[in-house]
Amino acid sequence: MRRVAPLLLLIAALALPALAVAAEAGGLPVLSVESKGGGQTYSLTIQVLVLMTLLSVLPAILLSMTAFTRIVIVLSILRQALGTPQTPPNQVVLGLALFMTLFVMSPVLNQSWSEGVKPYLDNQLGGEAALTKTVTPLREFMLKQTRESDLVSFGRISGQGPFADPEAVPLAVLVPAFLTSELKTAFQIGFMIFIPFLIIDLVVASVLMSMGMMMLSPMLVSLPFKLMLFVLVDGWTLLMGTLAASFAT
């Protein structure tokens, strides 16, 4: 997925000028029907074509270039720490991660829309310029969240580094470096979440062992205490606020 997103963006960049020319002509010819009385050509408007392309690329962009990866990993680690690997269900976790991603990325998405997409739809920008304006806010977001060491490592692996400035970093290097940094940050946050629940497990296991209750599962006894602790500290609000604040620079 990390390799596909930059490739698709490159293909889009190469194709947009041709699509823009087709848009000036009224659309792309898709189907031509000939009959005795004449012929009819059916065309596909550029807006519909761009929308279809975006829908196919959207999952790759969501996973590779947004805050979704960090959020969904932290929520998954939280379930393991609580001892409820199936609660909340996967659908709830993914839905929460998706809307938290929209909450965190809303300034970036608004900037991409106002500076790139909207001017292109209003015929104020060409295809290449609109693509550059649309991707620039995402580049800035990823650069702010990416560790310099990861950029250096992937630049060295690709043979394209070192880079003179952040603007010189290509997407093919930036996206995997960003994902690697997101994984590191997510596991660091998950480690901090795991500690208090691990302490509860250790205390419960020690008490049960001292009482000679060897057949009673410590996980079963510690679960209500962990749930009570999480509810008393308003854990969901605290966790969501911490995750949102972790993206501030």
Side-chain angles (χ1 to χ4, degrees):
M1 194 68 70
R2 293 180 300 184
R3 298 177 181 177
V4 171
L7 179 60
L8 291 176
L9 288 173
L10 177 61
I11 294 173
L14 295 175
L16 272 176
L19 296 179
V21 173
E24 295 177 358
L28 297 174
V30 177
L31 179 64
S32 179
V33 179
E34 298 291 340
S35 62
K36 293 182 179 180
Q40 178 69 39
T41 300
Y42 298 92
S43 62
L44 180 66
T45 61
I46 188 65
Q47 289 83 359
V48 174
L49 181 61
V50 170
L51 179 60
M52 293 169 61
T53 304
L54 287 177
L55 289 177
S56 63
V57 179
L58 185 59
I61 296 177
L62 179 64
L63 292 175
S64 305
M65 304 174 67
T66 67
F68 182 83
T69 301
R70 182 189 305 185
I71 295 172
V72 75
I73 289 177
V74 170
L75 292 177
S76 299
I77 293 177
L78 173 65
R79 294 195 306 181
Q80 298 295 326
L82 285 172
T84 56
Q86 299 299 326
T87 305
N90 290 332
Q91 294 86 342
V92 176
V93 171
L94 292 175
L96 181 58
L98 177 61
F99 282 99
M100 276 296 299
T101 301
L102 293 176
F103 174 77
V104 171
M105 300 293 297
S106 57
V108 179
L109 298 178
N110 289 335
Q111 185 179 353
S112 295
W113 170 263
S114 61
E115 295 182 1
V117 179
K118 191 174 186 299
Y120 176 73
L121 295 178
D122 295 339
N123 296 322
Q124 298 175 0
L125 284 178
E128 293 184 2
L131 180 64
T132 301
K133 293 284 188 179
T134 302
V135 175
T136 297
L138 286 173
R139 283 180 54 88
E140 295 176 353
F141 171 80
M142 289 190 291
L143 283 170
K144 291 178 181 178
Q145 304 300 326
T146 304
R147 291 174 173 83
E148 185 177 352
S149 60
D150 293 328
L151 279 177
V152 172
S153 298
F154 280 94
R156 184 179 65 254
I157 294 171
S158 65
Q160 303 180 44
F163 304 103
D165 54 75
E167 299 299 327
V169 180
L171 281 176
V173 175
L174 177 58
V175 172
F178 168 73
L179 279 174
T180 303
S181 293
E182 287 295 281
L183 290 173
K184 291 180 181 178
T185 304
F187 276 87
Q188 289 175 353
I189 298 175
F191 172 77
M192 299 303 297
I193 292 174
F194 230 106
I195 294 300
F197 300 113
L198 179 61
I199 293 175
I200 293 178
D201 286 333
L202 291 174
V203 171
V204 170
S206 300
V207 171
L208 291 178
M209 185 174 295
S210 64
M211 296 176 63
M213 298 181 179
M214 309 297 294
M215 303 300 294
L216 185 60
S217 173
M219 296 293 295
L220 182 62
V221 178
S222 63
L223 178 59
F225 292 99
K226 291 189 288 187
L227 292 177
M228 181 181 64
L229 172 65
F230 193 69
V231 172
L232 289 178
V233 300
D234 198 9
W236 287 112
T237 302
L238 183 62
L239 179 62
M240 295 298 104
T242 302
L243 279 174
S246 68
F247 292 96
T249 55

